[in-house]
Amino acid sequence: MNTRSEIPARLRQMPIVAVLRADRAQAYAPVVQVLIDEGVVSIESTLTTPDTLAHLPQLRELAAGRADIGIGTITSVEQADAAIAAGADYLVTPVTDVEIIKRAVAADVPVFPGAMTPTEVNAAWQAGATAVKLFPAGTVGASFGSHLRGPFPHLEFVPSGGIGLDEIEPWLRAGAAAVSLGSPLLGDALRGGSTDTLRERIRRTVAVVDQARVPR
């Protein structure tokens, strides 16, 4: 029996999760296309956007095996079951709900549950989290990740919430498996903004990741 799903290989390769939150799911496709073209291959579409699950097959077809499409802002077992049934490549939650984690583990679907305190982090990890989503990470800074590695040396974590592009490198150097980015990466692209500007931000993000991989 599985006890923990591994971090997807694509996320290991490019440790950025692009978080899509829009007024309507129809806005996703052109943004997803640019993300994939520019090398960001882990994309989280959120349930706070209407009809997200209904559009998941379209996004998976657009990804065509080049990217992982996950479902985020899952807050109930029923939502987790629906996302798994719809073919989500991974699940993301803003909270530590052990039952949601168990559902994902049983289905061998990677799950990134949200946590902040050491108690929550430990509960999520012991329940089988693929990696713990530190949320809202912007309130604590990258040093928090380094401190967690003391009592939890094997912990995999992904900071999310309020992280700017200039904070990617500190978090990765603090041991983060990946960094989750929303509006600092996407800007106004989901509201009809310039795709050229989006491409520039993605390229800057990829360059920051490459720099973080250079040993100091």
Side-chain angles (χ1 to χ4, degrees):
M1 179 178 178
N2 295 322
T3 57
R4 190 188 315 279
S5 296
E6 295 296 321
I7 291 177
R10 291 188 180 95
L11 188 56
R12 288 290 194 195
Q13 174 189 356
M14 173 47 61
I16 297 294
V17 179
V19 182
L20 309 187
R21 201 180 302 277
D23 292 334
R24 56 194 186 92
Q26 290 87 340
Y28 284 163
V31 173
V32 169
Q33 184 66 68
V34 175
L35 287 164
I36 295 172
D37 288 347
E38 296 298 332
V40 174
V41 291
S42 185
I43 299 164
E44 174 191 339
S45 54
T46 56
L47 289 182
T48 50
T49 300
D51 300 321
T52 283
L53 285 181
H55 278 73
L56 181 57
Q58 177 191 4
L59 296 183
R60 286 175 55 84
E61 182 177 353
L62 185 64
R66 298 178 297 154
D68 295 323
I69 309 294
I71 295 295
T73 322
I74 291 174
T75 57
S76 71
V77 169
E78 291 75 17
Q79 289 175 338
D81 288 343
I84 291 168
D89 289 314
Y90 58 88
L91 309 183
V92 185
T93 82
V95 296
T96 297
D97 186 318
V98 171
E99 293 306 314
I100 292 175
I101 298 170
K102 288 180 179 178
R103 277 293 214 283
V105 170
D108 197 21
V109 173
V111 59
F112 302 85
M116 177 51 67
T117 69
T119 298
E120 292 171 342
V121 167
N122 184 63
W125 185 247
Q126 293 299 325
T130 299
V132 178
K133 169 183 158 179
L134 300 183
F135 174 79
T139 63
V140 292
S143 62
F144 184 66
S146 299
H147 291 314
L148 284 175
R149 278 297 177 84
F152 308 117
H154 303 297
L155 176 71
E156 298 275 19
F157 63 89
V158 177
S160 177
I163 298 176
L165 302 189
D166 58 346
E167 296 167 286
I168 297 171
E169 183 173 356
W171 273 107
L172 291 177
R173 291 193 182 278
V179 175
S180 185
L181 299 171
S183 57
L185 174 63
L186 301 173
D188 62 355
L190 288 167
R191 300 188 301 277
S194 168
T195 55
D196 289 338
T197 302
L198 174 61
R199 287 183 190 276
E200 291 174 5
R201 282 194 300 272
I202 297 171
R203 290 171 183 174
R204 177 185 167 195
T205 299
V206 171
V208 171
V209 170
D210 289 341
Q211 179 60 37
R213 287 170 166 161
V214 177
R216 284 184 172 177

